[in-house]
């Protein structure tokens, strides 16, 4: 087992380090992190407007009028319907940070390219309009890829010194504006050429091409049962050698979950059952206590541990684990680099994903509505909120118990080891001297 852990560490550590430092993945991850507060605020307003209680809905309608929910959902619709616009700007902005070039010019350039590539629809009374279809989740791939491409080109042209140099004494803001002039012109012309070329194809727009050829197949696999298993195992296997992998893996996969969540939100607003099982909130329900669903382990420690060390760790970790912070138990027990505990640490999430996926697929448990929640929201409460149904809380309780049962045999092995080390060696009295 020690040889296996050493081999995993030798192979996974360099790979994870490269992925964490990869500037493009990092830019996408940081862009979503920057936008996440607004997504959560929009989701909170959606929960307020569509809370699953007829008495609540009647009470709110009596106070604020029949159209109260549509009014409350205006900020939600404004945020989610134009998400690709913000992501286009933020990805370029974050990538420009890594290149140490003008961030604002990079973001505006990326956004301009995105709008050039986005098709217009003609309205008889209002003229040319940009359909919200491509400004929301369906346009995310073009927004991200366009942001990466435009910023890469912008950085390359600046390195080649394709800029208009201003004389000394000109304010820095003006110098930056003129430095971006030639690269921006060339990149915008390229974006226009791409739009014109795709207009002559069967896809008509680059949005349709990317959505059908790239986004849909990747999303189909990434949000399948096998994809969910692979996602969980990726996170726990990297954590097994001490790499905080949650934000890294989520940052890569979040764009693939986003459209499922938008479909579920649209269905929820229309009063229909959400169509997709695997969303980001599906994983929020699994990671009870943090990676490895370690709240189950903490519960087993509190109830069954007999060694003083594990009792102390369980009391220390209980409070933070309720809010899905598990470093105290990961490094205090420890779980990390512990050959015995790493078996259930990687196994438990796979079992919980299987149980929860089957329960949601057959309709025993409500599917997540797509509502975003802070990752620190305690389990059981989080399950109820993201599904809008009591069954979401129940499946989390079932999974907590199931996880504790799987962790328990391995915990007992470690507990016996600690008890043996804590038991003082018997004192032998010296033999009396013989004459």
């Amino acid at each position: 087992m020690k040889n296996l852990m050493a081999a995993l560490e030798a192979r996974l550590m360099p790979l994870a380090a490269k992925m964490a430092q990869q500037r493009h993945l990092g830019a996408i991850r940081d862009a979503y992190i920057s936008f996440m507060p607004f997504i959560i605020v929009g989701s909170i307003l959606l929960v307020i407007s569509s809370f699953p209680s007829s008495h609540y809905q009647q009470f709110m309608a009596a106070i604020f009028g029949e159209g109260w929910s549509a009014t409350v959902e205006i900020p939600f619709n404004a945020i989610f319907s134009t998400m690709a616009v913000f992501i286009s700007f933020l990805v370029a902005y974050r990538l420009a940070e890594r290149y140490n070039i003008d961030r604002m010019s990079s973001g505006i350039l990326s956004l301009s390219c995105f709008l050039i590539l986005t098709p217009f629809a003609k309205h008889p009374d209002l003229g040319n309009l940009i359909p919200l279809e491509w400004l929301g989740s369906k346009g995310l791939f073009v927004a991200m890829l366009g942001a990466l491409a435009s910023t890469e080109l912008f950085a390359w042209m600046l390195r080649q010194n394709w800029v208009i140099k201003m004389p000394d004494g000109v304010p820095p803001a003006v110098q930056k504006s003129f430095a971006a002039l030639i690269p921006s012109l060339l990149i915008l012309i390229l974006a226009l050429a791409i739009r014109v070329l795709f207009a002559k194809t069967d896809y008509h727009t680059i949005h349709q091409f990317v959505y059908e050829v790239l986004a849909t197949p990747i999303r189909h696999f990434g949000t399948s049962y096998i994809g969910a298993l692979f996602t969980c195992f990726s996170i726990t296997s990297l954590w097994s050698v001490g790499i905080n992998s949650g934000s890294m893996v989520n940052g890569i996969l979040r764009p693939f979950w986003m459209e499922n969540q938008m479909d579920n939100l649209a269905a929820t607003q229309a009063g229909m059952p959400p169509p997709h099982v695997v969303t980001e909130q599906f994983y929020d329900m699994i990671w009870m206590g943090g990676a490895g669903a370690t709240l189950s382990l903490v519960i087993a420690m509190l109830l069954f541990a007999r060694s003083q060390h594990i009792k102390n760790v369980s009391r220390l970790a209980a409070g933070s684990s309720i809010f899905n912070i598990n470093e105290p138990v990961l490094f205090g027990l420890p779980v990390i680099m512990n050959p015995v505990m790493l078996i259930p640490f990687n196994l438990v999430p796979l079992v919980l994903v299987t149980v929860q996926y089957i329960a949601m697929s057959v309709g025993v448990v409500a599917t997540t509505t797509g509502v975003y929640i802070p990752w620190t929201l305690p389990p059981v409460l989080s399950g109820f909120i993201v599904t809008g149904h009591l069954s979401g809380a129940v499946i989390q309780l079932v999974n907590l118990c199931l996880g504790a049962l799987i962790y328990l045999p391995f915990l007992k092995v470690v507990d016996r080891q600690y008890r043996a080390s804590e038991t003082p060696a018997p004192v032998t009295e010296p033999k009396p001297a013989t004459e």
Side-chain angles (χ1 to χ4, degrees), residues 162-386:
W162 294 6
V163 297
I164 297 176
K165 293 184 178 181
M166 302 298 292
D168 295 337
V170 175
V174 177
Q175 289 184 9
K176 288 183 179 180
S177 298
F178 275 86
L181 186 60
I182 294 177
S184 297
L185 175 63
L186 296 176
I187 293 170
L188 291 177
I189 291 174
L190 177 61
L192 179 60
I194 292 173
R195 173 172 176 154
V196 171
L197 288 174
F198 271 95
K200 301 180 182 299
T201 67
D202 294 336
Y203 295 102
H204 302 296
T205 69
I206 190 173
H207 281 276
Q208 196 68 40
F209 171 79
V210 170
Y211 183 75
E212 290 185 15
V213 176
L214 295 177
T216 300
I218 295 174
R219 180 167 67 98
H220 178 74
F221 173 76
T223 59
S224 66
Y225 167 64
I226 300 299
L229 291 178
F230 181 76
T231 298
C232 285
F233 184 71
S234 298
I235 292 174
T236 54
S237 61
L238 290 171
W239 257 119
S240 298
V241 292
I243 300 170
N244 189 338
S245 54
S247 60
M248 179 176 67
V249 175
N250 290 351
I252 296 170
L253 295 176
R254 186 169 285 121
F256 305 128
W257 299 330
M258 192 68 69
E259 193 169 347
N260 281 12
Q261 293 165 205
M262 293 301 296
D263 289 346
N264 285 6
L265 285 168
T268 300
Q269 286 182 298
M272 302 292 290
H276 302 292
V277 171
V278 178
T279 62
E280 186 167 358
Q281 294 72 48
F282 176 88
Y283 298 102
D284 290 337
M285 294 178 64
I286 295 295
W287 300 128
M288 296 173 291
T294 50
L295 183 57
S296 293
L297 173 59
V298 172
I299 291 172
M301 292 163 63
L302 288 169
L303 295 177
F304 299 104
R306 298 176 62 187
S307 72
Q308 196 61 39
H309 173 76
I310 295 183
K311 285 182 179 180
N312 291 335
V313 171
S314 66
R315 287 191 288 266
L316 176 65
S320 60
S321 292
I322 293 174
F323 297 97
N324 304 318
I325 299 169
N326 63 351
E327 277 79 1
V329 68
L330 290 182
F331 296 100
L333 184 60
V335 175
I336 303 303
M337 304 300 292
N338 185 332
V340 175
M341 294 309 303
L342 285 179
I343 296 173
F345 180 73
N346 285 274
L347 177 62
V348 166
L350 302 182
V351 174
L352 301 192
V353 163
T354 301
V355 171
Q356 186 169 294
Y357 186 91
I358 293 173
M360 288 183 172
S361 297
V362 301
V364 175
V365 174
T367 308
T368 59
T369 62
V371 169
Y372 288 81
I373 58 172
W375 62 271
T376 52
L377 196 66
V380 182
L381 176 61
S382 63
F384 173 71
I385 291 178
V386 299

Side-chain angles (χ1 to χ4, degrees), residues 387-425:
T387 61
H389 198 274
L390 189 60
S391 62
V394 172
I395 191 63
Q396 283 195 298
L397 287 172
V398 171
N399 279 343
L400 278 173
C401 296
L402 182 58
L405 290 174
I406 297 173
Y407 270 114
L408 184 57
F410 301 91
L411 174 64
K412 286 185 174 180
V413 173
V414 177
D415 191 45
R416 283 196 296 268
Q417 293 173 348
Y418 277 117
R419 284 173 57 208
S421 64
E422 292 168 357
T423 303

Side-chain angles (χ1 to χ4, degrees), residues 426-434:
V427 178
T428 57
E429 295 190 9
K431 294 181 180 180
T434 58

Side-chain angles (χ1 to χ4, degrees), residues 5-55:
M5 290 305 303
L8 286 175
E9 183 178 6
R11 293 180 180 274
L12 290 178
M13 286 286 280
L15 175 62
K18 289 180 180 179
M19 291 180 65
Q21 295 173 3
Q22 213 287 326
R23 60 173 64 96
H24 303 103
L25 295 178
I28 293 174
R29 180 192 63 229
D30 293 345
Y32 277 100
I33 291 174
S34 298
F35 194 56
M36 191 57 63
F38 304 97
I39 293 177
I40 292 174
V41 169
S43 295
I44 292 172
L45 293 174
L46 182 63
V47 171
I48 292 173
S49 70
S50 58
F51 190 78
S53 169
S54 58
H55 297 294

